[in-house]
Amino acid sequence: MTVFEDESSRSPDTTGAGSTSWIGSPHPAVVADREGGVVDFNAAAADLFPSMGVGKWLDEVVPGWLAEAHRRLARPARGPAAAGTARAGPAPLRGHHGGRLLRAHPTESGRGDVAWWLVDDSDLTAAREALRTERERHAVLTEASTHLIASLDPDHCLEQAALLAADHLGDAALVVSPPVRNRHTVVTAMAGGFRRTQVVLDPALVPGLAEALQGLPPLPARWIDPAELPSWAVPEGFGGTPGSVSLTALPGHGVPAGALILLRRVGQRAFDASEELFARLFAARAGAALSAARLYAEQERITRALIAELLPPRLHHVDGVDFAGGYRTSQVTERIGGDFYDVHPGTGEGQETLAVLGDVCGKGLAAAVLTGRIRSTVHALLPLAGDHQDVLRLLNGALLTARHTRFATLVLASVRRTGGGVRLRLTSAGHPRPLVVRTTGEVEEADTGGTLVGALPVVTSRSATVQLSPGETCVLYTDGITEARGGPLGSAMFGEDRLRSALAECVGLAAEAVVERVQAVAGEWVGRGPHDDMAVVAITAPLALPIPSRPNAVNGRTRGRDTV
């Protein structure tokens, strides 16, 4: 009797010729001679092959792939030593029978007989295939997450979502965005390329699209007739009507981010339930990325608009007087802070121009918000600008009634051209006193002072009048310059003396050159070290007074950004 083995379960009773323990094995077993005649089989083989019988040919009772394998294997053993010696056959082979995947293990007896063990591999193969599929899908989801979150640009996210879906989920993919002014952005991807279009469409014409754009559960693919798709939903070059269609929502953060349409060509298998579930997992990641990108874009748009209002203006000649300003925030990554300045041209001929420079307690965005409030309040108080004490009193009241607890210091300068010079009326409210650079190189301090605003119920102040001759400059600055620490040891304070020395070198310079000089000296002093916000404004009586001209104004003040 032939001896044969199953590599998955070997019984000790099948180790010698003549053993019959294999008859009761749960695995089908068949023994055939070299001519292909059935010599013996067990009950499991009879259940698998109902026409099995001793003396029948294998071709009559087993699948063709097994009979052909027996013909190739059953050959007379060569040499006297081989006679009666059992030997293992070649590696197992696989084939299908009755909807099952069978693994066949042959063992030769040495006399030409071959025993075939048959093991059902259907479940094992299905499990391996499912594991492989899940690994591939996990890799796709990981790749999708990496690509989709790499950019916060909504357009880039749309393109990447469509390209990834076309590469891994179908033959073509369309990402449909929610409508904007009755137009939908549609990104169509196929074979590594994409196309973006703006489409006026009726979602009801695509089964399930209206629901997907509202974030509702998707329709099963088998309920969608590909023939009902409108022309915009079938890409050029796709090759006619799709064979199957899958459609799912792109869920966003509280609001649907759009819809994903997947297409497969005729001849490809239809989308099954497992693939539709995978498409929803992909859509969840794509929708989250799209929603985040759109939210970021909206916040960026709002931020740009707000920052544009909070940035200091670009200063120019106003009524024959030269103005210039410079601003540097405490952090390199920030564009706005707690220092500010404004120049408000007079509303009529001969009216004074009001320049304001101030410093809010604190840094960053919170301080910048208060600077915006102060600047808006001062702008509203322009009709009272002739009385600095009145302006400071009303501003102080406005800050005391606000919900914040911050205070500010500032200096007001009413400026008017008088003959060949410039007349200034200066009022400080808890702020460093303005410095005046004379043509002699002397640097004077304006005799003005007062209490800060936003802290005490009553503010007091003392104004000073300064006359500038041609070429002379009045400099308003914040304490971020004089209190900046740096120098050779990195901890010395810049101080007012160094500022005066720098200004003494600016005799006869234009206002813009004076500002640049102050910024350069202070910046070199702090180097890369930390510092407070720095702001400086120069008001110069030009050596040659220009023809008076009104600047471009927005709400009564010049707009634009000066050196930051």
Side-chain angles (χ1 to χ4, degrees), residues 482-496:
T482 53
E483 296 179 2
R485 294 188 178 273
L489 300 179
S491 59
M493 189 177 294
F494 185 70
E496 188 174 318

Side-chain angles (χ1 to χ4, degrees), residues 470-534:
E472 295 183 335
T473 300
C474 177
V475 177
L476 317 179
Y477 63 95
T478 60
D479 58 12
I481 294 176
T482 53
E483 296 179 2
R485 294 188 178 273
L489 300 179
S491 59
M493 189 177 294
F494 185 70
E496 188 174 318
D497 289 341
R498 289 188 177 87
L499 177 59
R500 286 173 175 266
S501 297
L503 292 176
E505 300 172 355
C506 299
V507 175
L509 295 182
E512 186 172 354
V514 174
V515 168
E516 290 179 355
R517 176 58 180 167
V518 172
Q519 285 189 307
V521 173
E524 183 180 358
W525 182 258
V526 299
R528 296 179 178 270
H531 60 84
D532 200 353
D533 297 331
M534 300 179 181

Side-chain angles (χ1 to χ4, degrees), residues 283-371:
R285 301 198 180 198
L290 281 168
S291 182
R294 288 172 180 155
L295 180 61
Y296 176 81
E298 177 65 14
Q299 291 176 340
E300 186 181 31
R301 184 187 66 80
I302 294 173
T303 301
R304 283 199 305 267
L306 293 176
I307 287 179
E309 287 300 312
L310 294 176
L311 284 173
R314 182 177 296 278
L315 305 184
H316 306 277
H317 290 281
V318 179
D319 288 336
V321 182
D322 193 7
F323 290 87
Y327 182 63
R328 178 175 176 177
T329 58
S330 59
Q331 299 292 332
V332 175
T333 55
E334 296 178 351
R335 299 178 60 193
I336 53 178
D339 289 3
F340 66 95
Y341 58 80
D342 268 316
V343 172
H344 304 277
T347 56
E349 190 67 28
Q351 293 288 321
E352 293 179 322
T353 296
L354 179 66
V356 184
L357 180 138
D359 183 0
V360 170
C361 174
K363 304 176 184 178
L365 179 61
V369 171
L370 183 55
T371 67

Side-chain angles (χ1 to χ4, degrees), residues 16 42 49 129 266 419 450 536:
N42 64 4
F49 307 117
E129 181 64 21
V266 174
V536 57

Side-chain angles (χ1 to χ4, degrees), residues 318 320-324 355 413-426 434-440 442-446 464-476 506 508-511 514 537-545:
V318 179
V321 182
D322 193 7
F323 290 87
S414 292
V415 185
R416 176 187 296 173
R417 190 185 66 181
T418 56
V422 172
R423 180 178 178 273
L424 295 92
R425 190 158 41 88
L426 302 170
L435 298 177
V436 179
V437 183
R438 298 300 185 184
T439 54
T440 60
E442 183 182 1
V443 178
E444 301 175 354
E445 187 177 72
T465 300
V466 174
Q467 186 72 32
L468 299 180
S469 300
E472 295 183 335
T473 300
C474 177
V475 177
L476 317 179
C506 299
L509 295 182
V514 174
V537 169
I539 306 170
T540 302
L543 292 173
L545 293 178

Side-chain angles (χ1 to χ4, degrees), residues 121-278:
D121 266 358
S122 300
D123 292 341
L124 178 60
T125 301
R128 287 174 175 170
E129 181 64 21
L131 178 60
R132 182 190 63 80
T133 300
E134 288 304 314
R135 285 175 174 170
E136 290 179 351
R137 289 176 176 177
H138 176 74
V140 170
L141 293 177
T142 301
E143 180 186 1
S145 297
T146 301
H147 282 77
L148 291 172
I149 66 176
S151 171
L152 288 175
D153 181 356
D155 292 340
H156 180 75
C157 279
L158 279 174
E159 296 161 5
Q160 288 299 311
L163 288 169
L164 288 167
D167 287 343
H168 301 291
L169 279 71
D171 296 321
L174 294 87
V175 177
V176 183
S177 294
V180 177
R181 294 186 291 275
N182 297 323
R183 298 179 70 88
H184 295 259
T185 297
V186 179
V187 177
T188 304
M190 184 177 63
F194 71 90
R195 182 186 178 210
R196 175 192 302 273
T197 55
Q198 297 289 326
V199 182
V200 178
L201 57 86
D202 182 3
L205 297 180
V206 180
L209 180 57
E211 293 79 2
L213 289 173
Q214 297 175 30
L216 299 177
L219 293 176
R222 64 181 181 276
W223 292 5
I224 303 176
D225 184 0
E228 296 182 10
L229 293 179
S231 59
W232 63 263
V234 181
E236 294 182 8
F238 184 76
T241 302
S244 59
V245 180
S246 177
L247 194 151
T248 188
L250 295 172
H253 297 121
V255 179
L260 173 65
I261 303 175
L262 302 173
L263 308 178
R264 279 187 179 163
R265 294 185 175 90
V266 174
Q268 301 284 353
R269 73 175 188 277
F271 292 100
D272 58 27
S274 173
E275 290 173 317
E276 290 185 282
L277 176 60
F278 176 57

